[in-house]
Amino acid sequence: MAKFGIGQPVRRSEDPRLLTGRGQYTDDVTLPGQAFGCFFRSPFAHATITALDTTEAAQAPGVIGIVTGADLAADGIGTLPVQVKIKSRDGSPMPQPPRPALAQGRVRHVGDPVALVVAETLDAARDAVDLIEADFDPLPAAVDLATTLEANAPQVWDEAPGNQVFDWGMGDEAATYAAFAGAAHVVTVKLVNNRLVATPMEGRACSAAYDPGDGRFTLYVSSQGVHAIKGQLAEAIFHLPADRFRVLTGDVGGGFGMKIFLYPEYVATLYAARKFGRPVKWTADRTEAFICDDHGRDNLTTAELALDADGRFLGLRVDTIANLGAYLSNFGPFIPTNAGNRMLSGLYAIPAIYARVRGAFTNTQPIDAYRGAGRPEAAYVVERLVDVAARRMGIDPVSLRKRNYIPPEAMPYETATGLTYDSGEFARNLTDAVETADLAGFPTRKAAARARGKLRGIGISTYVEACAGGGAERAAVQVDNTGNVTVLIGTQTNGQGHETAYKQIVSEHLGVAPEQVTVVQGDSDRVATGGGTGGSRSVPVGGASLAEAVLKVQERARVAAADMLEAAAADIAFDDGRFQIVGTDRSVSLAEVAARSDAETAFDETGDFKPSAATFPNGAHICEIEVDMETGVPAIIAYTVVDDFGKVMNPMLVAGQVHGGIAQGIGQALYEHTVFDPESGQLLSGSLMDYALPRADSVPFVNFHYNEIPCRTNPLGIKGAGEAGTIGACPAVINALVDALSEFGVEHMDMPARPETIWQAIDGGRRAAAE
């Protein structure tokens, strides 16, 4: 095993640069002649634009020009596409109303962009926005997800009667209903999977330019992958060949799914750059981000679990209403349907499953992928059901789970939702987590907490997710004649540590030190193809393609080394960074072999990998929580997780991903509350003064362990790790909270479980007991 190779806890090579202020984020890009853009946005959730006068704004000091929806329409600029189409249960296609980059005739959510002002300075652009005169005729707004599908709800789109996007189904409905008919016990829960605002540390930004000489557009953008954005701009928006566009992404301060998509601002700034002959930069401030970024989650679910008299699972039935917002974002329809519901079997052998999902338009921002993208929603449904079932049937929650787990000897196992799990030792993970969390000692800790006036609860959740599948990835590896290595790959780091992981793969197979390796991502000119980052795919898929390319280089270098050493290639072995004649001490390094090349680039190889199936990381979370009885304030005291990520590339990187994911799950479970005024559709939680995020003292030390059960469908044995922490955290936290409050008759708490709602539950329990 190489010193800096696969499996080693190598420190992140990115960190010195980023921590000393030498990162290059999108807002750091300054182009020659750069102007600044500021958007005039709708103050209404739903309204007709009856007049739009930009005359005074256009004459303001420093203003270069103004773009409106009418300009885009006149020049044939296309609308933002939805990438996944979902059919309803009756086979009918979903409606696809247009999403122009700038509103045309009607606005459909607060923050809907109406016009773009381009000026010499940002202050001048902002001042001019205030001079735009617009008349709106307000219309009733569909805001409440629970009522938006009702017959009398305001209509968001004429193309979608009743605001329904689709009525989708999955599974064997007849077999599921038969399972429920024969069940000894049926458990039902009603769940709110609350809407979330991604709030990455670095907000969205772009810098757009156009070169009239060669007719090419250039877009610098904070994204999760340049190629998807480039393709949409070329095909759907500007209707030009793809080679007329170059998209670049530098360092990214977090994306969490939200930065995958094409947004209106990127289209408008590119159009303005061409129209006015100046590069245009736009950077969202935090308040603007709250009303223009895609949001995540926002489901209402009724779920039922059928069990026999011994607690064996017989069937699962799920009915969900999923908010899709005012417009269909790139992958919006996919997230609450195929992305999440395929995981409804969880770790369990459930013979029959049926899921129904109704997608709904509302006059709110679009909904799309957020860390986990449907899988956290599925895990929350399953693990809350299992916990309620254990409590109602008087079965230990650990025992109930193990009783229904898919055993290792059943692998590969096809679930009732059509997925095939290739590997996993689910009971082992839970056993390890129970021992590490000292579940046996919990009653003593609970009694001690009660003596201090605190309620204490413990919650278990287990999960499995499908990730690191999808399309192919290509990597190129170039070795120059000094032995330095350049990796070109189409994934896109968002802070996860890709650079470090890829250097480890190169080091493993070529024996070079990390500082000799340069990783290039985020440039659609230099990197021909790429799937970006999303679905925890970068290292399992990108890494597999890179390993193939590196091994090709190794083989070519071995042949060249044999020539240098005057030996047969079959007699040359590669070990510890050197090519050596077997049985002798004669050897050469990669750098020595490369130095013999007459060309500047000694070796140049590519590798391709297309997953035959997804990978299925899984694990067990145990959360221990205390609640102040007088204030309802919760505090997470301990958190244990045991995961199976297959072969672990770098334990430090994986731990960082798990810790961050758990923090986001805790945020959803206890803090993050997106609130719209039910009448006006105004976002009431539109700043970090009103939208609570978890802080350092909200998240405990995470006691993280892992078992390495290699993935059988990935050449590196890796299972994705980027989203797993988020997937297991929400049900673990809520299960712990319900356990703490159970003596007051509490069976469920919706997310976010804030102190006031917790206190109300305690007070309600006290009052009921006194009656």
Side-chain angles (χ1 to χ4, degrees):
M1 181 179 291
K3 178 180 179 182
F4 301 106
I6 294 173
Q8 297 300 302
V10 179
R11 290 186 178 274
R12 287 168 42 115
S13 60
E14 302 95 328
D15 286 354
R17 173 174 57 83
L18 298 176
L19 294 172
T20 54
R22 291 179 286 124
Q24 182 76 4
Y25 297 89
T26 299
D27 191 57
D28 294 322
V29 173
T30 300
L31 301 176
Q34 177 175 277
F36 296 84
C38 184
F39 286 87
F40 173 71
R41 298 182 180 275
S42 170
F44 296 99
H46 198 195
T48 301
I49 304 172
T50 58
L52 182 64
D53 188 349
T54 63
T55 305
E56 186 177 0
Q59 296 171 353
V63 171
I64 296 168
I66 298 175
V67 177
T68 67
D71 297 320
L72 301 183
D75 284 341
I77 302 300
T79 59
L80 279 69
V82 57
Q83 300 287 79
V84 178
K85 284 78 172 178
I86 298 296
K87 288 187 177 181
S88 290
R89 296 186 294 167
D90 63 4
S92 60
M94 69 182 192
Q96 298 179 59
R99 185 186 184 186
L102 297 172
Q104 298 171 14
R106 185 179 291 191
V107 291
R108 287 181 168 84
H109 69 85
V110 173
D112 212 350
V114 176
L116 169 64
V117 174
V118 178
E120 298 289 352
T121 67
L122 180 56
D123 285 342
R126 287 174 171 167
D127 289 344
V129 163
D130 291 337
L131 298 176
I132 292 177
E133 295 183 5
D135 291 334
F136 295 93
D137 183 8
L139 299 169
V143 179
D144 178 27
L145 179 59
T147 60
T148 191
L149 295 178
E150 294 180 357
N152 60 349
Q155 277 289 117
V156 181
W157 291 97
D158 294 338
E159 298 94 321
N163 294 323
Q164 184 168 286
V165 184
F166 50 74
D167 183 347
W168 176 89
M170 178 209 71
D172 189 332
E173 187 174 14
T176 304
Y177 275 78
F180 274 83
H185 302 276
V186 174
V187 175
T188 302
V189 295
K190 293 182 181 293
L191 305 173
V192 174
N193 209 292
N194 44 318
R195 176 187 280 243
L196 300 175
V197 182
T199 58
M201 186 176 293
E202 179 212 22
R204 287 195 301 116
C206 66
S207 191
Y210 178 75
D211 185 343
D214 58 13
R216 293 196 81 203
F217 292 91
T218 300
L219 180 71
Y220 294 84
V221 61
S222 181
S223 82
Q224 291 181 225
V226 297
H227 295 93
I229 292 175
K230 172 184 173 178
Q232 291 177 79
L233 289 170
E235 296 170 20
I237 304 300
F238 288 95
H239 315 298
L240 293 170
D243 62 9
R244 295 273 298 274
F245 295 84
R246 183 184 188 186
V247 181
L248 302 102
T249 294
D251 292 313
V252 179
F256 313 122
M258 184 272 291
K259 291 182 180 175
I260 294 174
F261 323 119
L262 180 66
Y263 282 93
E265 293 84 3
Y266 312 156
V267 175
T269 53
L270 280 169
Y271 175 86
R274 181 175 68 176
K275 182 178 181 70
F276 303 129
R278 297 277 296 276
V280 180
K281 175 189 279 191
W282 169 78
T283 301
D285 61 32
R286 186 62 67 184
T287 299
E288 188 176 22
F290 268 90
I291 60 171
C292 72
D293 292 347
D294 282 6
H295 291 178
R297 313 286 197 250
D298 206 354
N299 294 344
L300 298 176
T301 297
T302 299
E304 301 169 283
L305 180 65
L307 306 93
D308 69 13
D310 296 321
R312 298 280 181 184
F313 301 164
L314 303 176
L316 177 67
R317 192 161 53 198
V318 178
D319 191 334
T320 294
I321 301 174
N323 197 342
L324 296 175
Y327 301 99
L328 298 179
S329 182
N330 280 169
F331 300 100
F334 173 69
I335 304 306
T337 52
N338 284 298
N341 284 287
R342 297 290 176 190
M343 303 312 305
L344 282 174
S345 191
L347 304 179
Y348 308 106
I350 305 177
I353 297 174
Y354 185 74
R356 178 193 185 195
V357 180
R358 285 167 288 170
F361 282 120
T362 60
N363 290 115
T364 64
Q365 286 102 300
I367 299 282
D368 211 315
Y370 175 76
R371 196 171 190 170
R375 286 101 76 200
E377 294 92 314
Y380 187 63
V381 167
V382 173
E383 291 301 301
R384 283 297 296 127
L385 272 173
V386 174
D387 216 61
V388 172
R391 193 171 300 278
R392 290 187 184 172
M393 296 182 66
I395 302 175
D396 173 70
V398 173
S399 298
L400 183 61
R401 286 176 168 85
K402 289 185 175 180
R403 188 175 303 176
N404 289 281
Y405 277 163
I406 301 163
E409 58 270 20
M411 302 295 177
Y413 180 88
E414 184 176 355
T415 71
T417 65
L419 293 177
T420 300
Y421 299 167
D422 67 281
S423 58
E425 297 182 15
F426 308 147
R428 175 184 172 187
N429 292 336
L430 181 54
T431 297
D432 291 352
V434 165
E435 292 176 357
T436 303
D438 185 23
L439 198 63
F442 175 71
T444 301
R445 299 192 295 276
K446 182 181 181 73
R450 189 55 186 266
R452 295 184 281 106
K454 306 281 188 181
L455 302 170
R456 198 165 182 129
I458 198 158
I460 297 168
S461 78
T462 58
Y463 78 93
V464 62
E465 65 151 326
C467 63
E473 198 64 63
R474 168 171 290 185
V477 175
Q478 301 168 350
V479 182
D480 69 20
N481 54 21
T482 68
N484 289 323
V485 180
T486 299
V487 172
L488 298 102
I489 192 163
T491 58
Q492 178 60 56
T493 183
N494 275 204
Q496 304 97 322
H498 291 181
E499 181 180 307
T500 302
Y502 292 151
K503 288 181 177 182
Q504 288 182 253
I505 295 171
V506 173
S507 181
E508 176 77 16
H509 297 298
L510 295 182
V512 298
E515 56 269 20
Q516 292 178 264
V517 182
T518 299
V519 177
V520 177
Q521 300 180 83
D523 185 338
S524 64
D525 273 11
R526 295 190 65 187
V527 182
T529 64
T533 188
S536 301
R537 70 185 304 276
S538 292
V539 174
V541 182
S545 67
L546 174 58
E548 179 181 305
V550 171
L551 287 171
K552 287 181 180 178
V553 169
Q554 184 193 93
E555 177 58 23
R556 282 195 57 204
R558 190 174 69 86
V559 172
D563 184 61
M564 288 178 64
L565 296 169
E566 299 181 332
D571 294 331
I572 302 296
F574 180 77
D575 184 52
D576 198 24
R578 299 189 69 81
F579 298 93
Q580 184 173 8
I581 301 176
V582 176
T584 75
D585 60 358
R586 295 180 60 208
S587 66
V588 291
S589 67
L590 175 68
E592 290 171 318
V593 175
R596 293 285 297 269
S597 173
D598 294 329
E600 185 176 338
T601 300
F603 303 105
D604 188 349
E605 295 291 338
T606 60
D608 295 276
F609 175 65
K610 186 180 190 305
S612 60
T615 71
F616 296 96
N618 57 88
H621 290 226
I622 299 181
C623 174
E624 197 161 333
I625 199 167
E626 276 190 358
V627 176
D628 188 302
M629 293 177 65
E630 301 308 316
T631 65
V633 174
I636 297 177
I637 304 302
Y639 203 105
T640 299
V641 59
V642 177
D643 284 313
D644 164 20
F645 295 132
K647 178 67 177 175
V648 171
M649 175 68 64
N650 182 323
M652 291 178 67
L653 292 183
V654 167
Q657 289 299 297
V658 171
H659 289 197
I662 288 171
Q664 287 183 290
I666 290 171
Q668 178 172 9
L670 298 180
Y671 300 102
E672 299 185 47
H673 195 202
T674 309
V675 182
F676 292 90
D677 183 277
E679 298 298 326
S680 69
Q682 295 292 329
L683 181 61
L684 303 180
S685 54
S687 76
L688 293 179
M689 293 292 289
D690 307 294
Y691 185 87
L693 293 173
R695 302 189 181 195
D697 61 355
S698 308
V699 182
F701 172 79
V702 176
N703 196 349
F704 167 61
H705 302 269
Y706 58 85
N707 292 315
E708 290 188 287
I709 314 298
C711 177
R712 299 174 185 174
T713 60
N714 181 277
L716 300 178
I718 295 174
K719 303 171 184 178
E723 295 157 295
T726 306
I727 294 167
C730 287
V733 173
I734 296 300
N735 287 348
L737 182 61
V738 169
D739 184 55
L741 302 177
S742 60
E743 65 182 85
F744 296 99
V746 175
E747 279 199 331
H748 179 65
M749 293 289 296
D750 275 324
M751 302 186 292
R754 295 166 293 130
E756 59 266 40
T757 55
I758 296 171
W759 182 88
Q760 288 166 0
I762 295 171
D763 185 60
R766 284 172 170 160
R767 291 176 184 273
E771 292 177 355

